[in-house]
Amino acid sequence: MTVETESMDGQQVVELARRVLPGGSTGNVSHELVIAEGRGGRVWDMDGKEYVDFLLGSGPMLVGHAHPEVLAAVQDRVAKGTTFFANNEDAIRLAADIVDAVACADQVRFVCTGSEADFYAMRLARAYTGRDKILKFEGGYHGMSDYGLMSTSPSRSSNYPRPIADSAGIPKSIEDEMLIAPYNDLETVAGLIREHRDDLAGIMVEAFQRIIPPQPGFLEGLRELASDNDLVLIFDEVVTGFRLAYGGAQAFYGVTPDVCTMGKSIGGGFPLAAIGGRAEIMAHFDKGAVGEDAFLTQIGTLSGNPVAAVAGRKTLEILKRPGTYENLFRTGQALMDGFAAILDDAGIPARVSGTPPKFEIVFTDQEVVDYRSSMGDQEMASRCNALLRERGVLKGEICFYVSCAHTEEDVQFTLDAFADTVAELSRSDAA
Ligand SMILES: Cc1ncc(COP(=O)(O)O)c(C=O)c1O
């Protein structure tokens, strides 16, 4: 097949995508949208349409697209070679920055994606405890591994703790290795631990699950249960790391896990993720420390890539500056409050659930406390997303990611677009 790649307009690129990519997409979002450029809190599609961007590359662009300081650091690094497989100073320094910032991380192991980090964190819990099962929460997202994809977004409900595989191609036997509990339900977790203690290696949790904050005492309770029962408590901080606070969700909520995974922001828009944890657990990555039998094998061609590491380091440096998180929270809060007021005025039952750096509008009249209560009216949500996009506001299917680069003007533009969207939703509901 020959492909004409020069001088195509947006529509031609979409048609090419339909031919050469399954489903016409790289797998993440709708294939009708092809992004050409991003700067700060905005992106432009191939036809030049401008959007206030709350997709933010699914989170990594916390300091905004094409931040001039990140670009300069990356350009300087690229000119000196882009990957070596051997150790490099930028990765070592990024590890030191993470160790300084993240309470549970005495040491760090780099990989390229959050999925890998989560997969290895589960393997690490098994290597450390010598037990196999992992308890996770319904709706908790821990990447694309066979284990991670258990009851992440089940379209039907099963009885806890039985998992439902979210993908074809996953061996049935994996279902026996995972236990599923409802998020924010400590009693069910305690019961499952009592029942499966001899086989259980650890608990894997998004401390702030997708768009659902932990209820008071939930994380503290998990910490206590894990400590009392010799389980490895893993926080998946792929989203929350450096987003909820410089020290991540564990700093924000004041609960320290044994191991955490990080991704997104720490790569500054490049493929980089990490597992961080207590030294005695991380020792399983070191054959010299634990011996052949307890050694956890982990290698990756691009792990700790210097270009990604330098982008991550510069991103962390920017985030650490005084006022950064106050500003991020102010922006997010203005959006959350504005959305809630507009929905309230329109009499549309909805909850704005989450924290200012990441939240979602759930079309429901119930309190949002776990996966099932976070579903709301899905049809309404996708109409809302589509109407917002028509009006120049881009977001993912499940949340708004807020960046430090979003301005007051971006907030006002978004609230105006939302008011218009809600008016349209109300009109079409009345018709
Ligand atoms: C909480 C969480 N964990 C893991 C992942 C997987 O990360 P990646 O897409 O880099 O594999 C994601 C991705 O969105 C995530 O949100």
Side-chain angles (χ1 to χ4, degrees), residues 193 218-230 233 255:
I193 291 174
F218 178 62
L219 298 176
E220 291 81 352
L222 291 183
R223 177 64 279 175
E224 205 175 309
L225 284 167
S227 300
D228 290 352
N229 293 282
D230 259 342
L233 180 62
V255 175

Side-chain angles (χ1 to χ4, degrees), residues 15-78:
E15 277 156 26
L16 176 60
R18 287 207 182 102
R19 264 197 292 148
V20 298
L21 302 173
S25 124
T26 51
N28 292 333
V29 288
S30 158
H31 58 75
E32 285 120 50
L33 185 68
V34 183
I35 298 293
E37 212 174 313
R39 245 186 342 274
R42 302 219 172 191
V43 291
W44 288 261
D45 70 18
M46 278 201 69
D47 298 321
K49 183 172 160 88
E50 182 172 349
Y51 302 84
V52 177
D53 182 25
F54 298 103
L55 181 56
L56 285 183
S58 191
M61 306 320 297
L62 182 53
V63 298
H65 294 281
H67 191 291
E69 291 178 68
V70 177
L71 286 190
V74 165
Q75 277 159 355
D76 184 51
R77 176 62 258 176
V78 165

Side-chain angles (χ1 to χ4, degrees), residues 58 112-116 118 141-144 206 210 236-240 261 263-264 273 358 401:
S58 191
C112 288
T113 68
S115 291
E116 278 178 273
D118 287 344
Y141 184 43
H142 307 298
M144 289 284 128
E206 286 184 87
R210 313 274 71 200
D236 181 333
E237 296 239 36
V238 170
V239 165
T240 53
T261 55
K264 304 205 188 249
K358 188 195 186 204
Y401 278 111

Side-chain angles (χ1 to χ4, degrees), residues 57-111:
S58 191
M61 306 320 297
L62 182 53
V63 298
H65 294 281
H67 191 291
E69 291 178 68
V70 177
L71 286 190
V74 165
Q75 277 159 355
D76 184 51
R77 176 62 258 176
V78 165
K80 297 174 188 150
T82 54
T83 200
F84 307 111
F85 198 64
N87 282 350
N88 68 84
E89 184 178 345
D90 291 308
I92 295 165
R93 285 182 179 274
L94 177 62
D97 292 344
I98 293 171
V99 166
D100 281 349
V102 177
C104 81
D106 295 331
Q107 291 187 323
V108 168
R109 170 56 64 99
F110 287 119
V111 289

Side-chain angles (χ1 to χ4, degrees), residues 62 94 97-102 237-249 262-263 265-266 312 315-316 319-320 324-325 328 357 404:
L62 182 53
L94 177 62
D97 292 344
I98 293 171
V99 166
D100 281 349
V102 177
E237 296 239 36
V238 170
V239 165
T240 53
F242 296 90
R243 175 169 278 280
L244 292 199
Y246 190 73
M262 292 156 278
S265 307
I266 62 165
T315 297
L316 300 197
L319 289 171
K320 207 173 181 181
T324 302
Y325 288 91
L328 178 68
C404 309

Side-chain angles (χ1 to χ4, degrees), residues 5 25 85 226 301-302 355 381 399 422:
T5 50
S25 124
F85 198 64
T301 301
L302 293 172
T355 58
C399 72
V422 166

Side-chain angles (χ1 to χ4, degrees), residues 376-393:
D377 182 338
Q378 300 274 293
E379 222 252 339
M380 182 85 139
S382 71
R383 267 162 62 210
C384 178
N385 290 342
L387 289 168
L388 279 172
R389 202 165 100 194
E390 276 172 26
R391 287 157 180 75
V393 175

